[in-house]
Amino acid sequence: MKINPTIIYFSIILLLSCTKSTEQTEQFEQKIVANWKAIQYVYEPGLFNNMPTGHKYFMNFSENGNFSGNTFFSNSVNDCDKYKIDDSAHITFYKQFTTDSAKIYYVFENFNKELIVSFYGCREPCRLKLIRN
């Protein structure tokens, strides 16, 4: 029985792409573990605005998957105590022992010094810019 070289070629590509994706996810998991403090926000379409004086908006990510946060965009995220990096652009937040979850987009900027998160479910582009605290 002769094996088609095309099948072997595509199998190797599939295996390599899965490994790379896993490695990228692990890199993002390492980058996001920190206590983050919000410095700017976008609530209405437009530019980032500075956070009000005395705000207490934050997101904390632990190595073991624990999460705590206080954001003014989404109570569903604030109520969660766990997180999971889905891929290089999405995080799922959930409450342990329940099926409730919330999802956000995220991106690192400025050489990984800033974390920008965008919340699903907002009518307007709801985004926070955070720095390591």
Side-chain angles (χ1 to χ4, degrees):
M1 181 173 126
K2 187 175 179 182
I3 299 176
N4 186 337
T6 305
I7 293 173
I8 294 172
Y9 176 75
F10 283 116
S11 298
I12 291 171
I13 288 175
L14 180 64
L15 287 172
L16 292 176
S17 67
C18 290
T19 303
K20 185 176 180 184
S21 176
T22 301
E23 289 172 4
Q24 286 177 344
T25 301
E26 289 172 2
Q27 289 174 356
F28 283 103
E29 287 172 349
Q30 293 170 358
K31 289 179 192 177
I32 205 162
V33 171
N35 296 329
W36 296 90
K37 175 184 172 182
I39 58 169
Q40 293 181 322
Y41 69 96
V42 173
Y43 194 71
E44 297 294 329
L47 302 174
F48 276 101
N49 300 295
N50 290 329
M51 295 301 292
T53 304
H55 77 86
K56 304 249 191 282
Y57 303 117
F58 66 90
M59 298 178 89
N60 297 335
F61 299 88
S62 301
E63 281 185 52
N64 63 2
N66 288 338
F67 168 78
S68 63
N70 178 21
T71 66
F72 59 85
F73 291 130
S74 175
N75 285 335
S76 57
V77 171
N78 294 339
D79 292 340
C80 295
D81 57 6
K82 294 285 188 184
Y83 76 95
K84 177 183 172 293
I85 304 287
D86 297 326
D87 55 39
S88 63
H90 300 92
I91 301 173
T92 298
F93 295 91
Y94 59 97
K95 191 156 184 72
Q96 194 170 13
F97 308 118
T98 70
T99 58
D100 297 340
S101 66
K103 190 175 280 250
I104 66 168
Y105 297 105
Y106 71 98
V107 65
F108 289 99
E109 286 190 350
N110 196 13
F111 301 102
N112 301 323
K113 293 179 183 173
E114 297 174 344
L115 172 65
I116 297 178
V117 296
S118 301
F119 294 89
Y120 283 80
C122 288
R123 290 184 333 190
E124 306 294 343
C126 304
R127 296 184 291 162
L128 279 177
K129 183 183 287 187
L130 305 105
I131 57 171
R132 283 183 167 82
N133 195 9

